[in-house]
Amino acid sequence: RAAGVPFEESDDPADFARLLPDDHLAFFDRTRLFYETDDAVFVHAGLDPRVEDLSGQSTFALLMGHRDFFKAPDYGRAIVVGHTATQIFRRDEPVFLPNGIVMCDTGGGYDGPLSAVEPVTGRVWQVPRVAPGGPERSTPGSCQSSGVA
């Protein structure tokens, strides 16, 4: 089951889309591929550094990344991304790179903590990783916060 509907394994995403309720599809159609503030851009995977205008970014770069994204010079504001887990640096906390990229995927979908970050102050919130025996439920106040960037 996925998204509350039965789903048999298939390589065709259209098979899954046909099973989704209309309100789910409408949600996906309304979803932005990036969110921009004066201080930061929030995007799933990355940007193509050759394209200055965010509206000109390809869907592929936004959702899957671009080979030159991490090598680009300073973007002039924080670029907050998920997609690439910080475990590649053997870290369980968000990574703040010198060029303004903030990597906040700390493996929450697997065995790492779930993290959120405020890119201007560097404040980080984390819900501890899931216990090996099964999911832990977080309770109010169980989230850890730090101001360390």
Side-chain angles (χ1 to χ4, degrees):
R1 291 181 69 88
V5 295
F7 180 63
E8 294 181 19
E9 194 170 318
S10 171
D11 291 334
D12 185 358
D15 290 339
F16 181 69
R18 280 190 284 276
L19 295 172
L20 288 175
D22 289 342
D23 59 338
H24 285 56
L25 292 172
F27 168 79
F28 289 127
D29 286 340
R30 290 189 313 267
T31 300
R32 300 181 199 181
L33 294 180
F34 63 87
Y35 182 77
E36 179 179 20
T37 69
D38 290 339
D39 299 315
V41 174
F42 300 83
V43 61
H44 175 71
L47 303 172
D48 179 342
R50 302 170 302 173
V51 179
E52 289 187 29
D53 183 7
L54 285 174
S55 63
Q57 291 287 329
S58 72
T59 300
F60 187 87
L62 297 168
L63 296 179
M64 299 302 294
H66 186 276
R67 69 176 176 267
D68 296 328
F69 173 62
F70 289 105
K71 297 185 282 185
D74 193 318
Y75 282 94
R77 59 182 161 170
I79 309 294
V80 181
V81 299
H83 188 73
T84 303
T86 60
Q87 280 85 0
I88 65 170
F89 298 115
R90 299 184 190 275
R91 307 258 312 260
D92 280 342
E93 64 271 343
V95 174
F96 292 74
L97 300 176
N99 62 353
I101 295 172
V102 180
M103 299 172 64
C104 66
D105 182 341
T106 52
Y110 299 98
D111 66 348
L114 177 64
S115 299
V117 64
E118 203 294 314
V120 176
T121 64
R123 187 164 181 200
V124 171
W125 295 265
Q126 289 190 312
V127 176
R129 70 176 41 96
V130 173
E136 280 181 1
R137 296 227 175 230
S138 114
T139 56
S142 68
C143 196
Q144 299 170 355
S145 172
S146 76
V148 179

